[in-house]
Amino acid sequence: MKKALYFQPLYFLFWVLFFIVARAAFLLYHLDNSSELTIAELAGTFWYGSRLDFSFASYLSALPFIVAFVGVVWKRFPAAAIIRWYTFVLLGITSVLLAADLELYKHWGFRMDSTPLQYINTPTEMAASAGSAPVILLSFVALALTGIFVLLYKLFFDLRNYRSVRFSWVTTILSFIFIALLILPMRGGVQQIPINQSTAYFSDRPYTNHASLNMPWNMLHSMLKYGEHSSNPYLYLPADSAAHKVQQLYAAVSDSSEQLVKPGKPNVLFIILESYTAKMVEHLGGEKGVTPNLDRLAKEGITFTNFYASGDRSQKGMVSILSGYPVQPATSIVKVPKKSEKLPQLSHTFEQQGYKTSFYYGGELEFANLKSYFLNGGYDKLIDKYAFPDESYNSKWGAHDHVLFERVLKDLKSEKEPFFSTVYTLSSHEPFEIPIKPKFPVTDEISKFRNSVYYTDWALGNFIEAAKKEPWWHNTLVVLVADHGHPYPNNDPNHVPSKFHIPFILTGGALTTHGLTIDMLGSQTDIAATILSQLQLPHNDYVWSRNLLAPTSNPFAFYVFQDGFGYLTPAGTVTFDNTSKKVITKDEGVLEDQLEMGKAYLQYSFDDFLKK
């Protein structure tokens, strides 16, 4: 008999081996696609996919680990038999799902997730969809996977080969420790952000990233976390009526606008500011002295004073800013890579125009699955916290903002022009840690937030002053915008527009106009069309984006919070709760038509989300 303490780690490795073989089967089944991959990419699918393999192997091992522990304590407990049949049943189910995924990927273009659940009530359609599948081949794959691993389990992994007759305190304690240790691979390690699909993404080629995914993990995660809907929960109007109302909004925008940027191909530098609420920005009616550099840049350039975030989370803001796409109230398209990879991205648009592209962030790109989104954007270079020394980190997120800006300044010195570069700050995110002496007295969380905004503004000011001395500055358009607002300093309720009011500023040497204030209502989705129009580049792919520098008869801004929305026009704001189906607030001048337009926008945009 082998030592009982060997069983649990070997059982975990049994499932890891199973997923390695399953990935190899996926690559072989799709040999036409796999043959286009380099050796490094093929190896990468196993390397980058391993953390998801470990994660799902941990979930599958949890019950057997507990049963094995009971078996160590209570010798008469039939632990070996229970684990054996548990393993065999899961092998059969998982092998069938993996075999089905092999064929479905050909038709869907994404790994299996919760989508098949949409067809449970329509078995006829499900059968019709599978009509052309090579059932015999897929059945053989499922049986072969099950049979081979049942045999391997019996020969090398079965608990009965590791049972000891005598009680051992060492074995008992280690068995319990092994159970506790499963938490680490379950969540992907000790890092701040739990594991998600982004962990397996490492290429700008979708197939490579899809091959890296652990399909059972992907499916379970989709079912439990993403809350994808099989039908639109926001059906307020007839479909054709909702579509007509929204299309009217975008048809009301003029095709022409005044050109405020030098002709040619100027560099474009996006700086996305974490949690920068207008309540901290003096020229937008906020507190004095918190953002002196941002206020100065607004005076030097063009500022949009009536501008709103589309949502209240970073991942939602990113998609609105860089893809011009509306936000979903109770989920986010960036969490579902099969959907987000279908979005247009400014990085792609500029790349097609010959621009070099890069993205800089001092934190972990895996946050909220953003890494998969950026990789789908095809950036030439992605820089995250692991490119910065540990001593530059705060306690939670990553490198401080001034360190981030120093790296950007250094890299842009040698960057080939024209370039499109995106910089995303993090220091004004909780816990609001800063590496400089606080400007304002620190008494509570709000004062910490105020100081963190000031610090980022300080770092931004230093960066801009240094950038103005660089040759590339004179041919660069700088776009400054927040990813979302913040409840502080007034502890705003979730729905109020002041929480979503944010800065949007254009500056840089490529501007031909300075000191201009634009009061047109707009939101983050409108940035793409506005910038591309100024650069005289096509923006037809950004169908949810409006040029804020072009005349319109229907100015508006739309934002969402947790299962609710706000809709703003010059008449005022209406906010609506989708769960209770009731108006939360409505300004005196707001008519019923405005509420109907907000409902139509949510309904029509969510329909588009479902169809992605």
Side-chain angles (χ1 to χ4, degrees):
M1 287 287 183
K2 300 170 184 175
K3 290 186 178 181
L5 60 87
Y6 292 165
F7 171 75
Q8 286 163 301
L10 285 174
Y11 186 86
F12 172 83
L13 292 175
F14 167 82
W15 282 110
V16 172
L17 177 62
F18 177 81
F19 294 133
I20 290 172
V21 172
R23 182 171 292 107
F26 180 87
L27 291 166
L28 285 172
Y29 194 86
H30 301 283
L31 192 57
D32 288 344
N33 290 326
S34 301
S35 62
E36 297 176 3
L37 305 184
T38 65
I39 297 297
E41 287 175 323
L42 286 169
T45 62
F46 292 91
W47 175 256
Y48 288 95
S50 62
R51 287 177 66 191
L52 291 183
D53 294 345
F54 292 163
S55 178
F56 203 70
S58 299
Y59 285 105
L60 296 180
S61 299
L63 181 59
F65 275 33
I66 295 170
V67 172
F69 172 76
V70 175
V72 170
V73 177
W74 180 19
K75 295 301 180 182
R76 293 187 178 183
F77 184 70
I82 292 172
I83 295 173
R84 186 181 309 120
W85 286 108
Y86 166 91
T87 304
F88 293 171
V89 169
L90 280 182
L91 276 173
I93 294 172
T94 309
S95 296
V96 168
L97 291 173
L98 286 165
D101 175 62
L102 295 177
E103 184 64 21
L104 288 173
Y105 184 82
K106 284 187 175 180
H107 303 285
W108 291 353
F110 58 86
R111 302 301 296 273
M112 187 188 293
D113 56 10
S114 62
T115 301
L117 298 179
Q118 299 176 17
Y119 302 99
I120 287 178
N121 297 325
T122 56
T124 304
E125 294 180 23
M126 185 185 296
S129 299
S132 60
V135 177
I136 295 176
L137 175 60
L138 296 176
S139 298
F140 172 78
V141 171
L143 288 171
L145 274 173
T146 304
I148 290 171
F149 277 86
V150 163
L151 181 60
L152 283 173
Y153 182 84
K154 287 183 175 181
L155 291 175
F156 304 109
F157 299 93
D158 200 322
L159 178 59
R160 64 186 176 187
N161 299 326
Y162 298 86
R163 292 296 296 273
S164 58
V165 177
R166 297 178 181 178
F167 177 83
S168 168
W169 278 109
V170 173
T171 302
T172 302
I173 294 171
L174 284 174
S175 181
F176 182 80
I177 290 174
F178 285 143
I179 296 172
L181 287 175
L182 282 178
I183 295 173
L184 287 177
M186 275 182 185
R187 71 181 307 278
V190 297
Q191 76 285 352
Q192 177 69 28
I193 300 161
I195 197 170
N196 56 47
Q197 288 105 321
S198 288
T199 304
Y201 276 53
F202 67 98
S203 170
D204 58 5
R205 212 188 309 218
Y207 172 76
T208 313
N209 296 325
H210 296 165
S212 301
L213 287 173
N214 178 293
M215 187 283 294
W217 188 98
N218 188 62
M219 185 174 188
L220 183 64
H221 193 60
S222 174
M223 292 166 61
L224 297 179
K225 292 289 186 181
Y226 291 160
E228 291 182 70
H229 301 272
S230 57
S231 60
N232 192 337
Y234 312 118
L235 298 177
Y236 296 115
L237 292 81
D240 56 348
S241 176
H244 179 67
K245 285 179 177 293
V246 175
Q247 289 163 3
Q248 276 186 317
L249 285 176
Y250 291 91
V253 181
S254 171
D255 291 333
S256 61
S257 63
E258 181 183 358
Q259 292 300 303
L260 307 176
V261 178
K262 294 176 182 177
K265 286 188 175 182
N267 307 310
V268 180
L269 176 60
F270 265 66
I271 300 177
I272 301 174
L273 302 165
E274 171 67 52
S275 303
Y276 253 56
T277 171
K279 291 172 290 183
M280 291 291 185
V281 181
E282 182 176 350
H283 83 271
L284 297 178
E287 295 186 7
K288 295 182 178 181
V290 181
T291 60
N293 291 296
L294 197 69
D295 292 324
R296 176 175 49 80
L297 292 171
K299 291 180 180 179
E300 294 176 358
I302 302 168
T303 183
F304 295 76
T305 58
N306 215 0
F307 191 80
Y308 292 82
S310 298
D312 53 3
R313 292 291 182 270
S314 300
Q315 70 272 22
K316 297 182 178 186
M318 286 294 171
V319 172
S320 290
I321 293 168
L322 300 174
S323 291
Y325 194 73
V327 169
Q328 298 75 49
T331 186
S332 173
I333 194 170
V334 79
K335 292 184 177 181
V336 194
K338 71 174 187 186
K339 294 179 180 290
S340 63
E341 66 188 24
K342 297 175 183 176
L343 296 176
Q345 284 201 45
L346 287 173
S347 52
H348 270 311
T349 301
F350 282 106
E351 185 179 47
Q352 291 167 359
Q353 299 296 322
Y355 281 67
K356 299 295 292 183
T357 59
S358 57
F359 188 96
Y360 293 84
Y361 179 46
E364 296 179 22
L365 284 175
E366 285 85 358
F367 174 70
N369 232 22
L370 282 170
K371 183 181 176 184
S372 66
Y373 172 70
F374 295 135
L375 282 170
N376 288 329
Y379 282 93
D380 297 321
K381 180 166 57 179
L382 291 175
I383 300 295
D384 66 2
K385 69 179 291 185
Y386 302 107
F388 299 94
D390 293 351
E391 57 269 21
S392 69
Y393 296 173
N394 63 19
S395 66
K396 187 172 183 180
W397 291 107
H400 289 292
D401 287 346
H402 78 278
V403 178
L404 173 71
F405 281 123
E406 287 170 0
R407 172 61 187 267
V408 175
L409 189 65
K410 176 184 175 183
D411 285 6
L412 292 184
K413 287 178 181 289
S414 58
E415 185 68 276
K416 182 181 177 182
E417 299 185 51
F419 59 76
F420 169 75
S421 188
T422 303
V423 183
Y424 181 28
T425 69
L426 59 70
S427 294
S428 44
H429 194 293
E430 292 88 348
F432 313 129
E433 295 175 356
I434 61 174
I436 63 172
K437 182 180 179 181
K439 170 71 173 178
F440 308 99
V442 178
T443 57
D444 54 14
E445 281 295 297
I446 294 175
S447 60
K448 289 180 181 179
F449 174 62
R450 183 180 295 110
N451 277 296
S452 71
V453 172
Y454 175 83
Y455 159 67
T456 296
D457 182 81
W458 169 82
L460 171 67
N462 291 342
F463 169 76
I464 294 295
E465 286 305 305
K468 287 179 177 179
K469 301 173 184 177
E470 297 295 325
W472 52 263
W473 174 263
H474 303 289
N475 191 41
T476 299
L477 173 66
V478 179
V479 181
L480 294 157
V481 65
D483 61 344
H484 53 77
H486 203 282
Y488 290 164
N490 305 327
N491 287 312
D492 286 336
N494 203 28
H495 61 276
V496 299
S498 58
K499 179 185 173 184
F500 297 85
H501 189 199
I502 60 172
F504 173 36
I505 296 167
L506 304 181
T507 188
L511 282 183
T512 58
T513 300
H514 304 278
L516 182 63
T517 297
I518 306 292
D519 62 0
M520 174 71 74
L521 261 172
S523 61
Q524 289 169 325
T525 54
D526 300 321
I527 292 176
T530 302
I531 299 302
L532 293 174
S533 295
Q534 282 299 305
L535 301 182
Q536 300 182 344
L537 295 177
H539 54 88
N540 296 334
D541 291 340
Y542 300 86
V543 296
W544 294 92
S545 190
R546 302 172 302 139
N547 180 5
L548 295 179
L549 294 170
T552 179
S553 56
N554 287 316
F556 77 95
F558 179 88
Y559 62 81
V560 303
F561 44 93
Q562 187 61 33
D563 223 14
F565 71 82
Y567 191 80
L568 298 86
T569 70
T573 303
V574 60
T575 60
F576 186 81
D577 177 57
N578 295 310
T579 304
S580 66
K581 303 293 189 291
K582 294 180 179 179
V583 170
I584 304 173
T585 61
K586 186 168 71 170
D587 290 345
E588 186 175 348
V590 172
L591 303 177
E592 188 66 22
D593 286 348
Q594 182 168 328
L595 175 60
E596 291 299 293
M597 186 64 81
K599 291 179 177 179
Y601 194 93
L602 176 60
Q603 176 178 328
Y604 189 60
S605 63
F606 202 85
D607 263 335
D608 189 81
F609 163 76
L610 290 175
K611 293 173 183 176
K612 291 292 186 189

